Amino acid sequence: MNTLTIRLSTMSDTRARISRATKLALAGKTVPAVPTLNFASYDHMHRVLASSRIAILRALMGRGALSICKLADLTDSDVKAVDHDVAILVKAGIVDRNQSGVEFPYDSLHFEFDISLTTEAVRRERIT
């Protein structure tokens, strides 16, 4: 199964994962490539992957290229709204749009993150 992993990840987390993978590769160990999309915050992820956009991704999974009209039918949505949502997904690099239609090259999504009160949030909370 071809899965896209969605993570909440800081730059330091990402650098640490790259560093670990580099060390393993230099030691001659195979490092599997895992297609991953990182977001700096839950709010940013939620803005990009709103429920209507998740519905579009689910409609695209395993189907190849589909037209905006077909996606609107499959998601029971307005064509204009689907076109807008697809534009956001294209800009985020999650789907591809070409002359054949819109494509999502994955069969599933895997969300991998924890939500906790960050140091920044604690600091803001103390200020207010």
Side-chain angles (χ1 to χ4, degrees), residues 53-63 71 75 104 109:
R53 295 180 198 127
I54 294 290
I56 289 168
L57 295 177
R58 290 181 73 191
L60 287 167
M61 287 178 187
R63 287 199 166 116
L71 281 172
T75 59
F104 181 64
L109 289 173

Side-chain angles (χ1 to χ4, degrees), residues 101-116:
V102 180
E103 289 184 89
F104 181 64
Y106 303 99
D107 301 317
S108 67
L109 289 173
H110 172 72
F111 290 84
E112 184 179 285
F113 58 85
D114 296 318
I115 298 175
S116 63

Side-chain angles (χ1 to χ4, degrees), residues 21-80:
T22 301
K23 287 176 185 173
L24 287 171
L26 290 174
K29 298 184 178 167
T30 302
V31 181
V34 178
T36 305
L37 182 61
N38 295 311
F39 288 96
S41 71
Y42 177 82
D43 291 338
H44 184 233
M45 180 194 71
H46 187 67
R47 280 192 301 272
V48 174
L49 295 176
S51 61
S52 61
R53 295 180 198 127
I54 294 290
I56 289 168
L57 295 177
R58 290 181 73 191
L60 287 167
M61 287 178 187
R63 287 199 166 116
L66 297 176
S67 70
I68 296 295
C69 290
K70 181 65 174 175
L71 281 172
D73 287 342
L74 290 171
T75 59
D76 196 28
S77 302
D78 176 75
V79 172
K80 187 175 180 180

Side-chain angles (χ1 to χ4, degrees), residues 7-15 17 38-41 113:
R7 286 191 181 128
L8 295 183
S9 181
T10 64
M11 283 303 292
S12 61
D13 293 336
T14 302
R15 283 188 199 107
R17 274 194 303 280
N38 295 311
F39 288 96
S41 71
F113 58 85

Side-chain angles (χ1 to χ4, degrees), residues 76-124:
D76 196 28
S77 302
D78 176 75
V79 172
K80 187 175 180 180
V82 170
D83 189 54
H84 173 76
D85 283 340
V86 165
I88 290 170
L89 292 169
V90 168
K91 185 177 179 182
I94 301 169
V95 300
D96 294 320
R97 187 181 220 166
N98 55 45
Q99 60 190 17
S100 300
V102 180
E103 289 184 89
F104 181 64
Y106 303 99
D107 301 317
S108 67
L109 289 173
H110 172 72
F111 290 84
E112 184 179 285
F113 58 85
D114 296 318
I115 298 175
S116 63
L117 192 58
T118 64
T119 305
E120 181 63 27
V122 170
R123 196 177 82 213
R124 280 194 308 257

